[in-house]
Amino acid sequence: MSERLAPPPRPALPHAFWALLAALGAMRAALALAPPSLALAAGSALAGAAAAALAAVGRRRGPRLLPLVAVLLAALSASGLACAAELSRQEALAGALSSSPVSTWELRLAGDMSRGASAWRGRAVASREGAASGEVWLLSEEPLGRESAVRCVGRFSPNGDDDWGASSRAQGIAGTVRVVRTLAVEPPSGVAGAVLGLREEVLSSFDAGSSDARALLAGSVCGSMAAISERGLDDAFARCGVSHLVAVSGGHLVLVCALVAVPVGRSRLGPPGRAAVLLALTALFVAFCGAPPSAVRSWAMSLVASASRLAGRRAHPLSSASLVSLAMALADPGVTGQLGYLLSVSCVCGICALGGYARHLVRALLPAPRPPSATAPLPARALSRLAGDAMDALALTLVSQAVTMPLTCAAFSQLSLVAPLANVLLAPLFSPFLGAGLVAACLAWAPPLQAPALLAADALGGVVARLVDALGGLPLASVAVSVDEGPALAVMLGACGALLVWWPPVSRRGLAAALGLVSALGLAWLLRWRLLAPARVVVMDVGQGDAILVTDGASSLLVDTGPGDAAVAALARSNVTHLDAVLLTHLHDDHAGGLEGVLGAVSVGSVIVGEGVDVGLAADGLPVERVGYGDAVSVGRFSLEVVSPLEPADGSGNEGSLELLLSFDDGGRSLTALLAADAEEPETSAAVARGDVGDVDLLKVGHHGSAASIGVETAAALDPEVSVASAGEGNPYGHPDPACAEALERAGSLFLCTIERGDVTVEPGESGPVVTCQRGGVP
């Protein structure tokens, strides 16, 4: 019979923790409402509701709850006021930038710029006459240095009502300035200039673009992620669930303290002096790395812990983390919309609250070997410590992944299944790697002395990069998922709350049975969708772009990948973990921009392009196939034939995008469809005139339903039963155009658009296509 093990003591959750949860929830809700008056009203309403509920409980539980009631009311009220002030500031800045030339403003970059699809993007503080007014996104054709003061001729756009506008507003961003012409760029001066100058010298000595190890060094030691992104390491680390190892956070500060503790400890300074020196050095390191929110929070926690020790009080990590995180949120509500801050807070609070129970679960399932005696050989003792450390790392990884899953899955549409193993293997390597990097940074002024540290970092970093590549290449290392952040957070918090109340003892047999059941259900789901997927065509909702999924049994093909990472979430909604191929009709960003994200989220067999397209676009060494007029691609019982263009095209124009005639017939069910990509009336009508295309059941409307996509005569010749346009809500082009919808409806077609309907699925039927929609069911 399996022994039931008593759990560790239930953790004490301080009032500050509950105040933090209430404040974060209220702030994210208030910033989503946008108008300051609504934010203030929301905060007041939440405070009132909390007061009423807690007062009712308090009558039964007595005065013990009164301090908690007071803390929650104060947190909710302060949250509402802070959000109202933040939204008012954003409105004022947007109005001022809209009504005055951008050239009269100074825009100081608050961090490193990152390369986007069309420009370099970075956060910038907008100020005029020396007074800072708030932050905007700054878009530039060329990268500009951190803390540089930029004066330019540009165009300002306030936040829109779309998802990007809501995300920017939640991060404290008032809008976007696109640089048209740069007038002046002033580098930072004073202390900031000195620190950033030192950072540039260190980065230069690292030569971040020369290897994966050096790119990791630049990210881990200097907080510069450019080389990591350019080399594709960010996607690889995300696939393995180890991105936090590179991000500058508390672990980095602990190592910095460890490196300087010996010389500081040998000094004649007393405890207050040693604490002050360590805090000053770690603060300098945080500034050196660009002061990311996770590092700022960690430094502030160390400040609180040092103050507690000097005052003779025992530090309480969860209280410190909650107070520091709450103070940061109230001081700058926009930080609550930044993923780095949210992940950092979630991890620290989750580990403080549930880390002990997670260790209990891991040790119940995988009991550690009996510790060797003090007289045992050194290798035996070392192996025992290593096994214990590995189990602790596994426990903390599981907690961190569980509490951050709603955030990471919603942000990246990806769940790493290999993360526990990856963290156990990589964490022991990353500490010495980071230590060697810090030593190399300190010796950047003396290359001969720096060389041995760089050599060690190269060796360790190379092993880390190779392990990440190997782990990320495992089957199902990560799976695409589609998660709505709000409900997922509610489920996660509810599960954590139930666990804290229940706090059950566990047995090895019970844990093994639960893991077996979960594994069996996961395998059944995988086999169902990997081998027995229904015959269907899914016009996916990827915003202003195209992505069409074709599946039949074990075969699957994605036609275009949409922009950004939208296709990853769409594939998750359709339960896709593997694609035989990705076919790109042409190279416009709204059709091919998501290729990298798709390749990082699901396994892909090959990339298919038009005959004249540059072979260099394929990633990760995948085979590239070429198709042209008359060629066909098979997907199970589906066939997709290229009917336009007649001559090879380089993929740079709409007229050269591949039009595909899809057909399916198994004797009882059939389906014909024209997938028109970005082709318009001249190309489609020419294909009809040649006899390459006739009557179809489904038309995936060309060029997102533009006015020029199809004419009345061509619509009548195609005579589709259903027509689907793929377009993004609030797009500036007015797609789909009413003229397009009218032409198709006059031909007797049911006209649908992904804006209103979401994903549109069309399956072969016995008497016509069977259509279902993500929103609205069967039309």
PDB file of all heavy atoms in Angstrom, residues 655-689:
ATOM      1  N   GLU A 655      -0.495  40.549 -58.385  1.00  0.00           N
ATOM      2  CA  GLU A 655      -0.841  39.866 -59.631  1.00  0.00           C
ATOM      3  C   GLU A 655      -0.067  38.565 -59.799  1.00  0.00           C
ATOM      4  O   GLU A 655      -0.472  37.694 -60.564  1.00  0.00           O
ATOM      5  CB  GLU A 655      -0.582  40.788 -60.827  1.00  0.00           C
ATOM      6  CG  GLU A 655       0.894  41.069 -61.134  1.00  0.00           C
ATOM      7  CD  GLU A 655       1.526  42.059 -60.174  1.00  0.00           C
ATOM      8  OE1 GLU A 655       0.789  42.662 -59.368  1.00  0.00           O
ATOM      9  OE2 GLU A 655       2.766  42.230 -60.228  1.00  0.00           O
ATOM     10  N   GLY A 656       1.050  38.409 -59.100  1.00  0.00           N
ATOM     11  CA  GLY A 656       1.839  37.195 -59.208  1.00  0.00           C
ATOM     12  C   GLY A 656       1.571  36.184 -58.113  1.00  0.00           C
ATOM     13  O   GLY A 656       2.260  35.163 -58.027  1.00  0.00           O
ATOM     14  N   SER A 657       0.588  36.437 -57.236  1.00  0.00           N
ATOM     15  CA  SER A 657       0.308  35.482 -56.163  1.00  0.00           C
ATOM     16  C   SER A 657      -0.381  34.240 -56.737  1.00  0.00           C
ATOM     17  O   SER A 657      -1.135  34.309 -57.703  1.00  0.00           O
ATOM     18  CB  SER A 657      -0.556  36.128 -55.083  1.00  0.00           C
ATOM     19  OG  SER A 657      -1.783  36.581 -55.619  1.00  0.00           O
ATOM     20  N   LEU A 658      -0.101  33.105 -56.138  1.00  0.00           N
ATOM     21  CA  LEU A 658      -0.623  31.834 -56.630  1.00  0.00           C
ATOM     22  C   LEU A 658      -2.109  31.707 -56.326  1.00  0.00           C
ATOM     23  O   LEU A 658      -2.530  31.812 -55.171  1.00  0.00           O
ATOM     24  CB  LEU A 658       0.123  30.668 -55.979  1.00  0.00           C
ATOM     25  CG  LEU A 658       1.643  30.596 -56.175  1.00  0.00           C
ATOM     26  CD1 LEU A 658       2.211  29.401 -55.414  1.00  0.00           C
ATOM     27  CD2 LEU A 658       2.005  30.516 -57.651  1.00  0.00           C
ATOM     28  N   GLU A 659      -2.896  31.478 -57.377  1.00  0.00           N
ATOM     29  CA  GLU A 659      -4.313  31.119 -57.209  1.00  0.00           C
ATOM     30  C   GLU A 659      -4.418  29.606 -57.296  1.00  0.00           C
ATOM     31  O   GLU A 659      -3.850  28.979 -58.192  1.00  0.00           O
ATOM     32  CB  GLU A 659      -5.180  31.770 -58.277  1.00  0.00           C
ATOM     33  CG  GLU A 659      -5.443  33.236 -58.053  1.00  0.00           C
ATOM     34  CD  GLU A 659      -6.555  33.755 -58.943  1.00  0.00           C
ATOM     35  OE1 GLU A 659      -7.731  33.703 -58.525  1.00  0.00           O
ATOM     36  OE2 GLU A 659      -6.262  34.211 -60.062  1.00  0.00           O
ATOM     37  N   LEU A 660      -5.158  29.002 -56.362  1.00  0.00           N
ATOM     38  CA  LEU A 660      -5.212  27.557 -56.242  1.00  0.00           C
ATOM     39  C   LEU A 660      -6.647  27.057 -56.394  1.00  0.00           C
ATOM     40  O   LEU A 660      -7.562  27.555 -55.725  1.00  0.00           O
ATOM     41  CB  LEU A 660      -4.666  27.116 -54.885  1.00  0.00           C
ATOM     42  CG  LEU A 660      -3.238  27.576 -54.555  1.00  0.00           C
ATOM     43  CD1 LEU A 660      -2.934  27.338 -53.080  1.00  0.00           C
ATOM     44  CD2 LEU A 660      -2.232  26.844 -55.426  1.00  0.00           C
ATOM     45  N   LEU A 661      -6.842  26.088 -57.279  1.00  0.00           N
ATOM     46  CA  LEU A 661      -8.129  25.428 -57.422  1.00  0.00           C
ATOM     47  C   LEU A 661      -8.110  24.162 -56.585  1.00  0.00           C
ATOM     48  O   LEU A 661      -7.328  23.240 -56.835  1.00  0.00           O
ATOM     49  CB  LEU A 661      -8.405  25.089 -58.880  1.00  0.00           C
ATOM     50  CG  LEU A 661      -9.725  24.349 -59.144  1.00  0.00           C
ATOM     51  CD1 LEU A 661     -10.924  25.214 -58.764  1.00  0.00           C
ATOM     52  CD2 LEU A 661      -9.820  23.896 -60.603  1.00  0.00           C
ATOM     53  N   LEU A 662      -8.945  24.127 -55.567  1.00  0.00           N
ATOM     54  CA  LEU A 662      -9.000  22.994 -54.642  1.00  0.00           C
ATOM     55  C   LEU A 662     -10.165  22.089 -55.017  1.00  0.00           C
ATOM     56  O   LEU A 662     -11.262  22.571 -55.338  1.00  0.00           O
ATOM     57  CB  LEU A 662      -9.151  23.516 -53.219  1.00  0.00           C
ATOM     58  CG  LEU A 662      -9.344  22.509 -52.089  1.00  0.00           C
ATOM     59  CD1 LEU A 662      -8.645  23.006 -50.822  1.00  0.00           C
ATOM     60  CD2 LEU A 662     -10.844  22.298 -51.793  1.00  0.00           C
ATOM     61  N   SER A 663      -9.933  20.787 -54.947  1.00  0.00           N
ATOM     62  CA  SER A 663     -11.010  19.838 -55.246  1.00  0.00           C
ATOM     63  C   SER A 663     -10.924  18.638 -54.320  1.00  0.00           C
ATOM     64  O   SER A 663      -9.836  18.235 -53.898  1.00  0.00           O
ATOM     65  CB  SER A 663     -10.941  19.388 -56.714  1.00  0.00           C
ATOM     66  OG  SER A 663      -9.699  18.780 -56.989  1.00  0.00           O
ATOM     67  N   PHE A 664     -12.091  18.075 -54.016  1.00  0.00           N
ATOM     68  CA  PHE A 664     -12.197  16.916 -53.140  1.00  0.00           C
ATOM     69  C   PHE A 664     -13.404  16.106 -53.593  1.00  0.00           C
ATOM     70  O   PHE A 664     -14.485  16.667 -53.839  1.00  0.00           O
ATOM     71  CB  PHE A 664     -12.385  17.358 -51.688  1.00  0.00           C
ATOM     72  CG  PHE A 664     -12.617  16.231 -50.709  1.00  0.00           C
ATOM     73  CD1 PHE A 664     -11.570  15.743 -49.948  1.00  0.00           C
ATOM     74  CD2 PHE A 664     -13.877  15.655 -50.534  1.00  0.00           C
ATOM     75  CE1 PHE A 664     -11.764  14.705 -49.034  1.00  0.00           C
ATOM     76  CE2 PHE A 664     -14.086  14.624 -49.630  1.00  0.00           C
ATOM     77  CZ  PHE A 664     -13.028  14.144 -48.883  1.00  0.00           C
ATOM     78  N   ASP A 665     -13.230  14.783 -53.711  1.00  0.00           N
ATOM     79  CA  ASP A 665     -14.357  13.922 -54.086  1.00  0.00           C
ATOM     80  C   ASP A 665     -14.045  12.508 -53.619  1.00  0.00           C
ATOM     81  O   ASP A 665     -13.093  11.883 -54.083  1.00  0.00           O
ATOM     82  CB  ASP A 665     -14.569  13.941 -55.601  1.00  0.00           C
ATOM     83  CG  ASP A 665     -15.895  13.297 -55.993  1.00  0.00           C
ATOM     84  OD1 ASP A 665     -16.471  12.563 -55.160  1.00  0.00           O
ATOM     85  OD2 ASP A 665     -16.351  13.523 -57.129  1.00  0.00           O
ATOM     86  N   ASP A 666     -14.818  12.018 -52.649  1.00  0.00           N
ATOM     87  CA  ASP A 666     -14.622  10.638 -52.195  1.00  0.00           C
ATOM     88  C   ASP A 666     -15.761   9.732 -52.615  1.00  0.00           C
ATOM     89  O   ASP A 666     -15.945   8.638 -52.070  1.00  0.00           O
ATOM     90  CB  ASP A 666     -14.440  10.608 -50.671  1.00  0.00           C
ATOM     91  CG  ASP A 666     -15.712  11.014 -49.918  1.00  0.00           C
ATOM     92  OD1 ASP A 666     -16.710  11.397 -50.571  1.00  0.00           O
ATOM     93  OD2 ASP A 666     -15.699  10.960 -48.672  1.00  0.00           O
ATOM     94  N   GLY A 667     -16.540  10.183 -53.594  1.00  0.00           N
ATOM     95  CA  GLY A 667     -17.659   9.391 -54.080  1.00  0.00           C
ATOM     96  C   GLY A 667     -18.971   9.769 -53.464  1.00  0.00           C
ATOM     97  O   GLY A 667     -20.003   9.765 -54.127  1.00  0.00           O
ATOM     98  N   GLY A 668     -18.968  10.134 -52.171  1.00  0.00           N
ATOM     99  CA  GLY A 668     -20.198  10.540 -51.498  1.00  0.00           C
ATOM    100  C   GLY A 668     -20.222  12.019 -51.190  1.00  0.00           C
ATOM    101  O   GLY A 668     -21.281  12.650 -51.207  1.00  0.00           O
ATOM    102  N   ARG A 669     -19.072  12.574 -50.920  1.00  0.00           N
ATOM    103  CA  ARG A 669     -18.973  13.990 -50.597  1.00  0.00           C
ATOM    104  C   ARG A 669     -18.009  14.664 -51.560  1.00  0.00           C
ATOM    105  O   ARG A 669     -17.063  14.028 -52.044  1.00  0.00           O
ATOM    106  CB  ARG A 669     -18.485  14.181 -49.155  1.00  0.00           C
ATOM    107  CG  ARG A 669     -19.374  13.574 -48.101  1.00  0.00           C
ATOM    108  CD  ARG A 669     -18.741  13.755 -46.721  1.00  0.00           C
ATOM    109  NE  ARG A 669     -17.407  13.147 -46.658  1.00  0.00           N
ATOM    110  CZ  ARG A 669     -16.431  13.539 -45.845  1.00  0.00           C
ATOM    111  NH1 ARG A 669     -16.644  14.563 -45.021  1.00  0.00           N
ATOM    112  NH2 ARG A 669     -15.250  12.923 -45.836  1.00  0.00           N
ATOM    113  N   SER A 670     -18.229  15.936 -51.806  1.00  0.00           N
ATOM    114  CA  SER A 670     -17.338  16.655 -52.721  1.00  0.00           C
ATOM    115  C   SER A 670     -17.239  18.118 -52.298  1.00  0.00           C
ATOM    116  O   SER A 670     -18.074  18.634 -51.556  1.00  0.00           O
ATOM    117  CB  SER A 670     -17.852  16.561 -54.161  1.00  0.00           C
ATOM    118  OG  SER A 670     -19.112  17.212 -54.281  1.00  0.00           O
ATOM    119  N   LEU A 671     -16.191  18.764 -52.794  1.00  0.00           N
ATOM    120  CA  LEU A 671     -15.985  20.187 -52.540  1.00  0.00           C
ATOM    121  C   LEU A 671     -15.029  20.733 -53.588  1.00  0.00           C
ATOM    122  O   LEU A 671     -14.004  20.118 -53.899  1.00  0.00           O
ATOM    123  CB  LEU A 671     -15.391  20.414 -51.144  1.00  0.00           C
ATOM    124  CG  LEU A 671     -15.130  21.873 -50.753  1.00  0.00           C
ATOM    125  CD1 LEU A 671     -16.442  22.618 -50.540  1.00  0.00           C
ATOM    126  CD2 LEU A 671     -14.266  21.960 -49.504  1.00  0.00           C
ATOM    127  N   THR A 672     -15.378  21.867 -54.152  1.00  0.00           N
ATOM    128  CA  THR A 672     -14.468  22.605 -55.030  1.00  0.00           C
ATOM    129  C   THR A 672     -14.350  24.017 -54.490  1.00  0.00           C
ATOM    130  O   THR A 672     -15.319  24.583 -53.965  1.00  0.00           O
ATOM    131  CB  THR A 672     -14.969  22.653 -56.482  1.00  0.00           C
ATOM    132  OG1 THR A 672     -16.277  23.240 -56.504  1.00  0.00           O
ATOM    133  CG2 THR A 672     -15.023  21.260 -57.096  1.00  0.00           C
ATOM    134  N   ALA A 673     -13.148  24.576 -54.609  1.00  0.00           N
ATOM    135  CA  ALA A 673     -12.925  25.912 -54.064  1.00  0.00           C
ATOM    136  C   ALA A 673     -11.825  26.605 -54.846  1.00  0.00           C
ATOM    137  O   ALA A 673     -10.909  25.965 -55.382  1.00  0.00           O
ATOM    138  CB  ALA A 673     -12.537  25.839 -52.584  1.00  0.00           C
ATOM    139  N   LEU A 674     -11.921  27.925 -54.913  1.00  0.00           N
ATOM    140  CA  LEU A 674     -10.852  28.745 -55.476  1.00  0.00           C
ATOM    141  C   LEU A 674     -10.270  29.571 -54.343  1.00  0.00           C
ATOM    142  O   LEU A 674     -10.971  30.373 -53.719  1.00  0.00           O
ATOM    143  CB  LEU A 674     -11.377  29.662 -56.579  1.00  0.00           C
ATOM    144  CG  LEU A 674     -10.332  30.619 -57.174  1.00  0.00           C
ATOM    145  CD1 LEU A 674      -9.223  29.832 -57.868  1.00  0.00           C
ATOM    146  CD2 LEU A 674     -10.979  31.613 -58.149  1.00  0.00           C
ATOM    147  N   LEU A 675      -8.985  29.368 -54.074  1.00  0.00           N
ATOM    148  CA  LEU A 675      -8.267  30.162 -53.082  1.00  0.00           C
ATOM    149  C   LEU A 675      -7.507  31.229 -53.841  1.00  0.00           C
ATOM    150  O   LEU A 675      -6.456  30.958 -54.449  1.00  0.00           O
ATOM    151  CB  LEU A 675      -7.324  29.271 -52.258  1.00  0.00           C
ATOM    152  CG  LEU A 675      -7.935  27.985 -51.682  1.00  0.00           C
ATOM    153  CD1 LEU A 675      -6.900  27.223 -50.860  1.00  0.00           C
ATOM    154  CD2 LEU A 675      -9.175  28.284 -50.849  1.00  0.00           C
ATOM    155  N   ALA A 676      -8.023  32.468 -53.832  1.00  0.00           N
ATOM    156  CA  ALA A 676      -7.553  33.501 -54.764  1.00  0.00           C
ATOM    157  C   ALA A 676      -6.396  34.338 -54.238  1.00  0.00           C
ATOM    158  O   ALA A 676      -5.929  35.238 -54.944  1.00  0.00           O
ATOM    159  CB  ALA A 676      -8.724  34.420 -55.133  1.00  0.00           C
ATOM    160  N   ALA A 677      -5.931  34.080 -52.990  1.00  0.00           N
ATOM    161  CA  ALA A 677      -4.806  34.846 -52.431  1.00  0.00           C
ATOM    162  C   ALA A 677      -5.057  36.345 -52.583  1.00  0.00           C
ATOM    163  O   ALA A 677      -6.122  36.829 -52.202  1.00  0.00           O
ATOM    164  CB  ALA A 677      -3.498  34.418 -53.073  1.00  0.00           C
ATOM    165  N   ASP A 678      -4.094  37.092 -53.154  1.00  0.00           N
ATOM    166  CA  ASP A 678      -4.285  38.526 -53.371  1.00  0.00           C
ATOM    167  C   ASP A 678      -4.588  38.860 -54.821  1.00  0.00           C
ATOM    168  O   ASP A 678      -4.502  40.024 -55.241  1.00  0.00           O
ATOM    169  CB  ASP A 678      -3.038  39.308 -52.930  1.00  0.00           C
ATOM    170  CG  ASP A 678      -3.146  39.806 -51.496  1.00  0.00           C
ATOM    171  OD1 ASP A 678      -4.213  39.625 -50.886  1.00  0.00           O
ATOM    172  OD2 ASP A 678      -2.164  40.362 -50.983  1.00  0.00           O
ATOM    173  N   ALA A 679      -4.923  37.841 -55.629  1.00  0.00           N
ATOM    174  CA  ALA A 679      -5.287  38.083 -57.017  1.00  0.00           C
ATOM    175  C   ALA A 679      -6.579  38.908 -57.080  1.00  0.00           C
ATOM    176  O   ALA A 679      -7.419  38.830 -56.183  1.00  0.00           O
ATOM    177  CB  ALA A 679      -5.463  36.762 -57.751  1.00  0.00           C
ATOM    178  N   GLU A 680      -6.726  39.686 -58.150  1.00  0.00           N
ATOM    179  CA  GLU A 680      -7.910  40.519 -58.308  1.00  0.00           C
ATOM    180  C   GLU A 680      -8.640  40.161 -59.593  1.00  0.00           C
ATOM    181  O   GLU A 680      -8.320  39.153 -60.249  1.00  0.00           O
ATOM    182  CB  GLU A 680      -7.500  41.994 -58.254  1.00  0.00           C
ATOM    183  CG  GLU A 680      -6.946  42.389 -56.889  1.00  0.00           C
ATOM    184  CD  GLU A 680      -6.606  43.865 -56.784  1.00  0.00           C
ATOM    185  OE1 GLU A 680      -6.292  44.491 -57.822  1.00  0.00           O
ATOM    186  OE2 GLU A 680      -6.645  44.400 -55.661  1.00  0.00           O
ATOM    187  N   GLU A 681      -9.578  40.969 -59.979  1.00  0.00           N
ATOM    188  CA  GLU A 681     -10.456  40.690 -61.112  1.00  0.00           C
ATOM    189  C   GLU A 681      -9.699  40.303 -62.385  1.00  0.00           C
ATOM    190  O   GLU A 681     -10.056  39.294 -63.016  1.00  0.00           O
ATOM    191  CB  GLU A 681     -11.362  41.894 -61.366  1.00  0.00           C
ATOM    192  CG  GLU A 681     -12.135  41.886 -62.685  1.00  0.00           C
ATOM    193  CD  GLU A 681     -13.175  40.787 -62.761  1.00  0.00           C
ATOM    194  OE1 GLU A 681     -13.542  40.221 -61.722  1.00  0.00           O
ATOM    195  OE2 GLU A 681     -13.610  40.479 -63.889  1.00  0.00           O
ATOM    196  N   PRO A 682      -8.667  41.022 -62.813  1.00  0.00           N
ATOM    197  CA  PRO A 682      -7.998  40.635 -64.073  1.00  0.00           C
ATOM    198  C   PRO A 682      -7.447  39.213 -64.032  1.00  0.00           C
ATOM    199  O   PRO A 682      -7.587  38.461 -65.014  1.00  0.00           O
ATOM    200  CB  PRO A 682      -6.873  41.674 -64.207  1.00  0.00           C
ATOM    201  CG  PRO A 682      -7.354  42.860 -63.439  1.00  0.00           C
ATOM    202  CD  PRO A 682      -8.107  42.287 -62.273  1.00  0.00           C
ATOM    203  N   GLU A 683      -6.811  38.823 -62.951  1.00  0.00           N
ATOM    204  CA  GLU A 683      -6.211  37.489 -62.882  1.00  0.00           C
ATOM    205  C   GLU A 683      -7.280  36.401 -62.783  1.00  0.00           C
ATOM    206  O   GLU A 683      -7.214  35.381 -63.486  1.00  0.00           O
ATOM    207  CB  GLU A 683      -5.268  37.389 -61.665  1.00  0.00           C
ATOM    208  CG  GLU A 683      -4.015  38.249 -61.751  1.00  0.00           C
ATOM    209  CD  GLU A 683      -4.272  39.712 -61.481  1.00  0.00           C
ATOM    210  OE1 GLU A 683      -5.099  39.994 -60.574  1.00  0.00           O
ATOM    211  OE2 GLU A 683      -3.686  40.575 -62.185  1.00  0.00           O
ATOM    212  N   THR A 684      -8.285  36.625 -61.942  1.00  0.00           N
ATOM    213  CA  THR A 684      -9.309  35.596 -61.754  1.00  0.00           C
ATOM    214  C   THR A 684     -10.170  35.450 -63.000  1.00  0.00           C
ATOM    215  O   THR A 684     -10.504  34.324 -63.417  1.00  0.00           O
ATOM    216  CB  THR A 684     -10.188  35.944 -60.542  1.00  0.00           C
ATOM    217  OG1 THR A 684      -9.368  36.083 -59.383  1.00  0.00           O
ATOM    218  CG2 THR A 684     -11.218  34.859 -60.293  1.00  0.00           C
ATOM    219  N   SER A 685     -10.548  36.562 -63.621  1.00  0.00           N
ATOM    220  CA  SER A 685     -11.370  36.474 -64.831  1.00  0.00           C
ATOM    221  C   SER A 685     -10.604  35.804 -65.965  1.00  0.00           C
ATOM    222  O   SER A 685     -11.193  35.068 -66.771  1.00  0.00           O
ATOM    223  CB  SER A 685     -11.839  37.868 -65.256  1.00  0.00           C
ATOM    224  OG  SER A 685     -10.733  38.706 -65.581  1.00  0.00           O
ATOM    225  N   ALA A 686      -9.283  36.036 -66.035  1.00  0.00           N
ATOM    226  CA  ALA A 686      -8.480  35.376 -67.063  1.00  0.00           C
ATOM    227  C   ALA A 686      -8.456  33.872 -66.842  1.00  0.00           C
ATOM    228  O   ALA A 686      -8.522  33.091 -67.802  1.00  0.00           O
ATOM    229  CB  ALA A 686      -7.059  35.940 -67.062  1.00  0.00           C
ATOM    230  N   ALA A 687      -8.348  33.425 -65.580  1.00  0.00           N
ATOM    231  CA  ALA A 687      -8.376  31.993 -65.288  1.00  0.00           C
ATOM    232  C   ALA A 687      -9.721  31.381 -65.664  1.00  0.00           C
ATOM    233  O   ALA A 687      -9.788  30.254 -66.169  1.00  0.00           O
ATOM    234  CB  ALA A 687      -8.077  31.764 -63.807  1.00  0.00           C
ATOM    235  N   VAL A 688     -10.808  32.132 -65.437  1.00  0.00           N
ATOM    236  CA  VAL A 688     -12.134  31.661 -65.820  1.00  0.00           C
ATOM    237  C   VAL A 688     -12.239  31.564 -67.340  1.00  0.00           C
ATOM    238  O   VAL A 688     -12.747  30.572 -67.889  1.00  0.00           O
ATOM    239  CB  VAL A 688     -13.216  32.597 -65.247  1.00  0.00           C
ATOM    240  CG1 VAL A 688     -14.589  32.251 -65.831  1.00  0.00           C
ATOM    241  CG2 VAL A 688     -13.250  32.514 -63.723  1.00  0.00           C
ATOM    242  N   ALA A 689     -11.739  32.577 -68.030  1.00  0.00           N
ATOM    243  CA  ALA A 689     -11.810  32.594 -69.493  1.00  0.00           C
ATOM    244  C   ALA A 689     -11.010  31.445 -70.104  1.00  0.00           C
ATOM    245  O   ALA A 689     -11.400  30.891 -71.149  1.00  0.00           O
ATOM    246  CB  ALA A 689     -11.297  33.935 -70.020  1.00  0.00           C
TER     247      ALA A 689
END
